[in-house]
């Protein structure tokens, strides 16, 4: 199967691309749980649950919100070929440094504002949602805030790191996968007005952990006739996201557009956010 089919997820292709690599892993420990162990998912294979939120809060666990692109929403009436997520991971299946694949999400700090950023998060569809780099701290994610991205170029890194992270179910699921919020906090970045891109990439690279034989797709947030549920702050720029992955042969390629990673449909915006407060 061509690599291009491996880095986005849609109704008809959610698990097929990864079935053989997963089966090829030899593991002699206790049986791994199946996706059904997280269910029930119902006959339609998905569920949409929007947990109650407090105005001005986002993330999971919730914190003071500066920007949130909005909740993932799977619509069974979408065409089966419409991509609903893009690879965002460093795992045994998709290795790399500083990441195997990263989806870069745009956001804007408005004129006249300065943001004190204390955390970042992405929502990702995954089988298990486990973070484990094999040594302390085991649960980490790579994060970065960049400026000036354009096709083929990652722009300027404002700040980045590999930081302790949490992976928490959102209550949403699709394609037999569960959505997890992968969130880093305790960072400190000051942003002045302008356009930025962010990434938070789950890391599960412990060869002794069977759950690292996993997949992560960053959930999209489709702007179809309305703003996504729970979107907050400046609107996420549409059709301005990128994917970068040496493994998949992508170098800051646009996610959308006829030549984009998602083939011209879907992936116009993603479910990610920025935590912190506006500077006084």
């Amino acid at each position: 199967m061509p690599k291009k089919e491996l880095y986005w997820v849609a109704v008809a292709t959610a698990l097929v691309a990864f079935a053989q690599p997963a089966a090829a892993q030899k593991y002699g420990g206790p049986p791994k749980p199946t996706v059904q162990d997280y269910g029930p998912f119902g006959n339609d294979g998905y569920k949409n649950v929007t947990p109650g939120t407090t105005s001005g809060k986002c993330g999971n666990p919730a914190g003071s919100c500066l920007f949130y692109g909005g909740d993932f929403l799977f619509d069974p009436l979408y065409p089966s070929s419409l991509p609903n997520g893009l690879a965002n991971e460093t795992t045994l299946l998709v290795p790399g440094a500083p990441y195997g694949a990263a989806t870069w999400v745009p956001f804007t700090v408005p004129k006249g504002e300065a943001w004190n950023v204390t955390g970042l998060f992405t929502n990702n569809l995954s089988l298990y949602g486990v973070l484990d780099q094999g040594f302390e701290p085991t649960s980490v994610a790579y994060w970065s805030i960049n400026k000036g991205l354009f096709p083929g170029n990652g722009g300027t890194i404002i700040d980045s790191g590999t930081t302790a992270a949490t992976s928490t179910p959102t209550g949403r699921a699709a394609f037999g996968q569960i959505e997890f919020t992968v969130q880093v906090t305790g960072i400190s970045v000051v942003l002045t007005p302008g356009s930025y891109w962010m990434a938070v990439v789950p890391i599960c690279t412990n060869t002794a952990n069977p759950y690292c034989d996993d997949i992560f797709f960053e959930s999209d947030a489709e702007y179809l006739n309305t703003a996504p549920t729970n979107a907050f702050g400046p609107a996420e720029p549409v059709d301005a996201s990128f994917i970068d992955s040496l493994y998949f042969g992508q170098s800051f390629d646009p996610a959308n557009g006829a030549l984009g990673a998602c083939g011209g449909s879907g992936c116009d915006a993603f479910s990610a956010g920025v935590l912190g407060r506006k500077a006084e």
Side-chain angles (χ1 to χ4, degrees):
M1 181 175 291
K3 277 190 174 181
K4 190 165 185 178
E5 296 184 27
L6 296 178
Y7 55 75
W8 56 263
V9 61
V11 176
T13 59
L15 298 179
V16 174
F18 288 91
Q20 289 185 350
Q25 298 294 322
K26 295 182 179 179
Y27 173 62
K32 292 188 287 186
T34 65
V35 173
Q36 286 71 29
D37 292 329
Y38 290 92
F41 291 106
N43 294 331
D44 51 15
Y46 79 97
K47 59 181 177 179
N48 277 313
V49 179
T50 302
T53 58
T54 303
S55 178
K57 300 284 187 179
C58 64
N60 186 18
S64 180
C65 192
L66 289 166
F67 157 74
Y68 177 43
D71 293 349
F72 168 73
L73 173 65
F74 173 69
D75 187 335
L77 298 180
Y78 287 172
S80 62
S81 60
L82 180 67
N84 287 272
L86 203 53
N88 189 58
E89 60 194 300
T90 306
T91 61
L92 297 181
L93 289 179
V94 184
Y99 46 72
T103 296
W104 292 84
V105 180
F107 67 95
T108 304
V109 178
K111 292 181 179 179
E113 295 184 7
W115 288 5
N116 293 322
V117 176
T118 58
L120 302 168
F121 66 91
T122 56
N123 290 327
N124 303 268
L125 293 166
S126 176
L127 293 176
Y128 308 117
V130 172
L131 307 178
D132 184 358
Q133 66 174 342
F135 51 89
E136 295 293 337
T138 56
S139 298
V140 298
Y142 173 83
W143 62 273
S144 187
I145 299 174
N146 290 23
K147 191 169 187 177
L149 267 73
F150 59 89
N153 192 299
T156 301
I157 297 175
I158 304 301
D159 203 352
S160 66
T162 299
T163 301
T166 55
S167 180
T168 310
T170 65
R172 295 180 291 271
F175 321 123
Q177 298 175 65
I178 306 96
E179 188 185 55
F180 294 85
T181 302
V182 177
Q183 183 164 303
V184 296
T185 55
I187 65 177
S188 180
V189 185
V190 177
L191 299 179
T192 55
S195 299
Y196 299 89
W197 283 260
M198 58 158 288
V200 178
V201 182
I203 296 174
C204 197
T205 52
N206 184 355
T207 57
N209 188 335
Y211 298 106
C212 290
D213 185 15
D214 198 1
I215 53 179
F216 288 86
F217 293 102
E218 186 160 340
S219 307
D220 73 348
E222 294 292 344
Y223 281 72
L224 296 178
N225 303 317
T226 185
T229 302
N230 290 324
F232 184 85
E236 180 176 337
V238 174
D239 294 344
S241 299
F242 293 86
I243 180 172
D244 182 48
S245 172
L246 180 63
Y247 181 84
F248 290 122
Q250 305 293 312
S251 179
F252 291 94
D253 285 10
N256 199 268
L259 300 178
C262 291
S265 62
C267 299
D268 60 347
F270 289 89
S271 186
V274 179
L275 303 174
R277 297 185 181 279
K278 297 177 185 179
E280 298 295 336

